[in-house]
Amino acid sequence: MIQNPKRYTITAALPYTNGPIHIGHLAGVYVPSDIYSRYLRLQGRDVLFVCGSDEHGVAISMKAKKEGITPQEVIDKYDGIIRKSFLDFGISFDNYSRTSAKIHHDTASEFFRTLYEKGDFIEQVTEQLYDAKADQFLADRFVTGTCPKCGNEEAYGDQCEKCGSTLNATDLINPKSTITGDTPIMKSTKHWFLPLDRYEDFLKEWILVGHKNDWKPNVYGQVKSWIDGGLEPRAVTRDLDWGIDVPVEGAEGKKLYVWFDAPIGYISSTKEWALREGKDWEPYWKDQDTKLVHFIGKDNIVFHCIIFPAMLKAEGSYILPDNVPANEFLNLEGNKLSTSKNWAVWLHEYLEEFPNQQDVLRYALTSNAPETKDNDFTWKDFQARNNNELVAIFGNFINRVVVLTNKYYEGVVPSPNTLSEVDEATLTELKAYPAVISSSLERYRFREALGELMNVARLGNKYLADEEPWKMIKTDEGRVQTQMYVALQIAAALSSLCEPFLPFTATKLSRILKIESPLSWSTISETSGLLPGGHQIGEAELLFAKIEDEEIQKQIDKLEATKTANTAENKRAEPQKEAIQFDDFAKMDIRVGTILEAEKMPKANKLLILKVDTGIDVRTIVSGIAESFKPEDIIGKKVTVLVNLAPRNLRGVESQGMILMSTNTEGKLVFVNPDTDGVSNGETIN
């Protein structure tokens, strides 16, 4: 670990521009990295926080094919949505770039050439999967098949999303091309490989020994598993028509592999920032006094802890990450988040549907952060955290303090009289919180740090509840002055301590308290008089609003509609039955009928007894549809009846025929009916 660094370079994983940002991205990467960056800035540190759109992945090409547009149109569309979402949500990047930018193409090409000229690559002809019908080599994501490790039949060529295993497309059992559906063939092609095996000893020493005690167990464990399994050369180029050209002779038509070019995006984003700000970019990547921290999700651990460090080591002039505090995954209502299946809470939609409530989502995601294990986001939990914690604890304390100050002193902070032991103890406890919260943040324990922030608000609520100034005002106005003075110091401290977690709330609270510039955490630790006597505060405003059941139900219904749509899209028709002759079909007498009466079969949950006018008679038919229809709702319904089915006795009732049914996209039974009015009972279906 670097002690007392001169500067910090903080990176957040580059989001793919094949879709908008969702809560899984926020919880895993962007909220914790923003909290950390904001915290460091409050401490007066030199911080560079960079990110950018990852625009060369196969996911982009797949999205373009699906939507019938060009890859450039895809990245322009989603880059715009993502940028605005981050801005509106308050993610405080110093620079947000694009891997399609010229500065990135130049930086990635130069990096490749440096390693190429040093002889760090292996040039090799290998057998790759090829779609003969599409006449192209298949990138990993254009191949699906059965995972060799867990048996998941829908694994991708680079990763199994069920068990999390990193794969090669050639590892898949029964591979299929996602372009044509055909089984691919093997075909020879030339590529350049980074020989990771050469860096095994370096990685063992640097990570397994050097970071054994300070990296998160989930990160350390995954890296150790990879290294213990033996590292192999990994391709840095691929056959693809979208991406950065491989900048050497003999590589026509080949592109840099996205995993090679994407992390270099952090460097090119830094260069872009430096050019704009008139600064030197190199100290942020090449000075040993710089602390480099990568914020990522667990699916990127291998790339940021093994492959990118090996690239940096091979180049020779760059520093290595001091820490990679990767989070696990956030699920949604019990199911895995999925961009392709639209199973997500999209940030841009949240911002529209919950205006001015950015901090509520930041709070919910941080308090339930998947720091050491996968966690689940539910709308009910989101509502409870807002109503029972932000509103009832934080907001309630601030509201009481501001309302009482305006009521008793016209908004002027009273000067304290003699402090009691309780007052002294409360102010002493308050002074300890900046160090406590800092300790958690420095160890990347954001959930723990947020809990300590809320304890400051709890301290304030307890103080007011115990002291009861609204009662004391009747007997000892001098004592109430001191009580309100102490409570206002806690409120002032909250305005700064909450800024990394709840930046919009911090701004609003500072405005209410009329604090011109943020209080430093060292000031909170050392000073009792954060708001001096005589300071004028503003009128009370609610920091947080209660979220009603109707708003939450709307979101739950929205997800249910997505689930229904996915079921319909993925539903596969039953395979065709064995062929029959026309004479076999002609034996069936199928007619239009009308249900005249309907009642439940006694002691049977699934059966209805129907009286049906078939046009040739009125007969009894027992049908297993009671779980889908109420008897009174189907009287008068036109139906299709197989009338010459041999009678069958069901629970003492003779059933003379069968009603024809199907199921809709939701799996519910529906009647098979003639689609034209005026078809008479008894008409045959031929």
Side-chain angles (χ1 to χ4, degrees):
M1 292 177 62
I2 298 175
Q3 301 298 326
N4 302 313
K6 285 185 178 178
R7 67 191 67 79
Y8 291 77
T9 300
I10 300 166
T11 74
L14 308 184
Y16 277 133
T17 44
N18 68 324
I21 294 296
H22 59 56
I23 57 169
H25 302 132
L26 294 173
V29 177
Y30 305 111
V31 170
S33 59
D34 189 58
I35 291 172
Y36 189 64
S37 300
R38 286 176 176 274
Y39 156 71
L40 291 173
R41 293 191 194 104
L42 278 173
Q43 310 315 308
R45 309 288 178 82
D46 181 356
V47 176
L48 175 65
F49 181 24
V50 294
C51 190
S53 292
D54 182 356
E55 302 177 322
H56 293 136
V58 177
I60 309 300
S61 298
M62 293 177 73
K63 190 78 171 183
K65 287 180 183 293
K66 184 177 181 180
E67 296 188 3
I69 57 179
T70 67
Q72 187 66 47
E73 288 174 308
V74 170
I75 64 175
D76 287 346
K77 172 184 175 181
Y78 289 111
D79 176 71
I81 293 173
I82 291 170
R83 279 174 184 272
K84 187 175 188 307
S85 296
F86 280 145
L87 182 65
D88 293 346
F89 194 59
I91 302 297
S92 60
F93 297 124
D94 292 296
N95 196 61
Y96 188 85
S97 190
R98 304 181 66 170
T99 59
S100 61
K102 183 179 185 301
I103 195 168
H104 176 70
H105 278 240
D106 292 345
T107 302
S109 297
E110 180 186 350
F111 201 105
F112 181 92
R113 274 195 302 268
T114 298
L115 269 58
Y116 177 82
E117 290 167 2
K118 291 174 65 176
D120 284 313
F121 294 133
I122 299 170
E123 187 177 311
Q124 192 174 338
V125 175
T126 61
E127 295 285 305
Q128 300 288 326
L129 293 176
Y130 183 83
D131 186 327
K133 183 184 288 186
D135 190 24
Q136 71 176 72
F137 285 96
L138 296 174
D140 297 337
R141 282 269 157 171
F142 282 121
V143 186
T144 59
T146 301
C147 173
K149 299 186 179 180
C150 75
N152 172 28
E153 295 181 355
E154 297 180 352
Y156 289 106
D158 61 345
Q159 186 180 36
C160 174
E161 293 190 347
K162 185 174 183 181
C163 70
S165 297
T166 300
L167 305 170
N168 290 311
T170 51
D171 296 334
L172 294 176
I173 302 166
N174 300 322
K176 297 288 183 184
S177 165
T178 63
I179 300 172
T180 64
D182 284 7
T183 299
I185 61 174
M186 300 299 291
K187 188 173 179 179
S188 297
T189 183
K190 181 176 72 174
H191 283 293
W192 287 264
F193 291 75
L194 181 66
L196 293 176
D197 47 317
R198 291 183 195 168
Y199 301 94
E200 267 195 38
D201 291 341
F202 149 68
L203 291 167
K204 284 179 181 177
E205 180 65 26
W206 173 57
I207 300 175
L208 301 188
V209 176
H211 288 291
K212 186 174 185 178
N213 298 319
D214 63 309
W215 280 19
K216 292 172 70 172
N218 59 319
V219 178
Y220 185 88
Q222 191 176 137
V223 172
K224 186 176 187 304
S225 176
W226 259 69
I227 294 175
D228 289 348
L231 300 179
E232 298 177 354
R234 193 171 182 93
V236 299
T237 62
R238 70 190 336 184
D239 295 286
L240 200 63
D241 58 1
W242 176 250
I244 299 174
D245 293 331
V246 178
V248 296
E249 288 187 17
E252 291 73 19
K254 299 184 187 297
K255 308 292 182 183
L256 295 182
Y257 216 139
V258 68
W259 67 256
F260 182 87
D261 102 72
I264 297 172
Y266 302 137
I267 301 170
S268 59
S269 185
T270 302
K271 288 183 176 180
E272 189 175 78
W273 165 81
L275 283 171
R276 185 182 70 241
E277 301 295 327
K279 296 196 175 187
D280 182 4
W281 72 272
E282 290 201 353
Y284 291 88
W285 280 95
K286 298 187 176 184
D287 192 318
Q288 293 301 321
D289 287 330
T290 298
K291 184 170 183 173
L292 173 62
V293 183
H294 295 311
F295 282 88
I296 58 169
K298 69 177 178 182
D299 52 338
N300 269 321
I301 289 174
V302 169
F303 298 106
H304 286 75
C305 298
I306 292 179
I307 298 173
F308 190 41
M311 291 164 55
L312 296 174
K313 183 71 173 176
E315 199 279 343
S317 66
Y318 286 85
I319 58 173
L320 299 172
D322 184 74
N323 212 312
V324 186
N327 276 349
E328 299 294 291
F329 288 153
L330 185 72
N331 297 320
L332 172 59
E333 300 284 355
N335 292 304
K336 186 169 182 178
L337 282 153
S338 173
T339 297
S340 60
K341 295 177 181 176
N342 195 33
W343 187 254
V345 175
W346 303 107
L347 177 56
H348 67 292
E349 292 182 357
Y350 172 87
L351 293 168
E352 292 174 0
E353 293 163 7
F354 292 88
N356 303 315
Q357 296 188 74
Q358 297 96 325
D359 283 352
V360 180
L361 184 57
R362 289 176 68 106
Y363 181 84
L365 295 177
T366 305
S367 57
N368 190 36
E371 291 180 349
T372 55
K373 63 180 179 64
D374 290 358
N375 273 352
D376 193 43
F377 176 94
T378 69
W379 279 110
K380 289 292 186 183
D381 179 70
F382 167 84
Q383 180 188 26
R385 290 187 186 278
N386 177 76
N387 294 354
N388 302 338
E389 296 172 26
L390 287 177
V391 173
I393 299 172
F394 196 133
N396 178 59
F397 169 66
I398 296 299
N399 189 59
R400 287 202 289 181
V401 170
V402 176
V403 167
L404 291 176
T405 302
N406 277 282
K407 180 178 180 181
Y408 299 154
Y409 312 111
E410 296 183 337
V412 177
V413 177
S415 297
N417 295 302
T418 303
L419 297 176
S420 70
E421 286 187 16
V422 171
D423 301 334
E424 295 279 10
T426 300
L427 292 173
T428 298
E429 185 176 346
L430 176 64
K431 290 177 182 179
Y433 273 107
V436 171
I437 296 171
S438 290
S439 175
S440 296
L441 292 175
E442 294 284 1
R443 291 175 291 135
Y444 311 104
R445 296 181 178 180
F446 302 101
R447 194 170 59 204
E448 180 181 276
L450 181 62
E452 295 296 344
L453 170 71
M454 291 302 289
N455 284 339
V456 179
R458 289 185 177 95
L459 174 69
N461 274 320
K462 184 178 187 305
Y463 179 79
L464 286 179
D466 291 346
E467 294 297 301
E468 298 182 312
W470 46 87
K471 291 183 179 178
M472 185 68 68
I473 194 72
K474 299 173 184 176
T475 58
D476 191 344
E477 292 186 10
R479 175 63 189 146
V480 173
Q481 285 181 230
T482 306
Q483 291 170 339
M484 294 310 302
Y485 173 84
V486 171
L488 282 159
Q489 306 315 306
I490 299 173
L494 280 169
S495 72
S496 179
L497 294 176
C498 80
E499 200 277 343
F501 311 93
L502 309 169
F504 294 89
T505 302
T507 299
K508 190 173 183 180
L509 181 51
S510 294
R511 187 179 71 245
I512 293 170
L513 298 178
K514 295 190 176 179
I515 297 174
E516 298 296 329
S517 55
L519 299 167
S520 74
W521 286 24
S522 61
T523 299
I524 297 171
S525 297
E526 298 163 4
T527 308
S528 295
L530 303 175
L531 281 184
H535 176 86
Q536 177 74 52
I537 69 169
E539 295 291 330
E541 297 177 44
L542 290 180
L543 290 183
F544 308 101
K546 189 177 180 183
I547 295 175
E548 302 297 339
D549 292 344
E550 294 76 16
E551 297 175 79
I552 296 302
Q553 190 58 50
K554 188 184 298 184
Q555 297 301 322
I556 293 172
D557 292 344
K558 189 175 174 181
L559 288 174
E560 285 300 317
T562 294
K563 191 179 291 185
T564 300
N566 285 338
T567 300
E569 185 176 339
N570 297 325
K571 188 173 182 180
R572 297 177 182 175
E574 293 289 328
Q576 178 181 302
K577 295 181 180 179
E578 184 180 344
I580 63 172
Q581 300 301 313
F582 177 77
D583 290 344
D584 295 319
F585 174 74
K587 292 177 183 178
M588 293 189 291
D589 191 345
I590 305 173
R591 306 209 180 204
V592 175
T594 301
I595 297 175
L596 303 177
E597 300 176 16
E599 62 178 320
K600 283 192 172 183
M601 170 79 77
K603 299 180 181 180
N605 294 329
K606 296 183 178 181
L607 301 179
L608 291 183
I609 303 172
L610 310 176
K611 290 287 187 186
V612 182
D613 181 353
T614 66
I616 51 176
D617 56 22
V618 174
R619 62 178 66 188
T620 299
I621 296 176
V622 178
S623 185
I625 60 173
E627 292 181 331
S628 299
F629 302 98
K630 295 178 181 178
E632 60 270 23
D633 291 342
I634 60 174
I635 293 173
K637 188 79 176 174
K638 283 282 188 184
V639 292
T640 306
V641 189
L642 179 62
V643 295
N644 65 334
L645 183 67
R648 183 182 177 190
N649 191 290
L650 295 170
R651 293 181 176 262
V653 178
E654 185 176 70
S655 180
Q656 300 173 306
M658 181 178 289
I659 307 293
L660 302 191
M661 310 291 295
S662 186
T663 55
N664 63 14
T665 56
E666 299 176 12
K668 295 180 180 179
L669 288 174
V670 292
F671 290 102
V672 177
N673 298 325
D675 64 359
T676 302
D677 292 335
V679 179
S680 302
N681 291 342
E683 291 293 335
T684 58
I685 296 173
N686 302 310

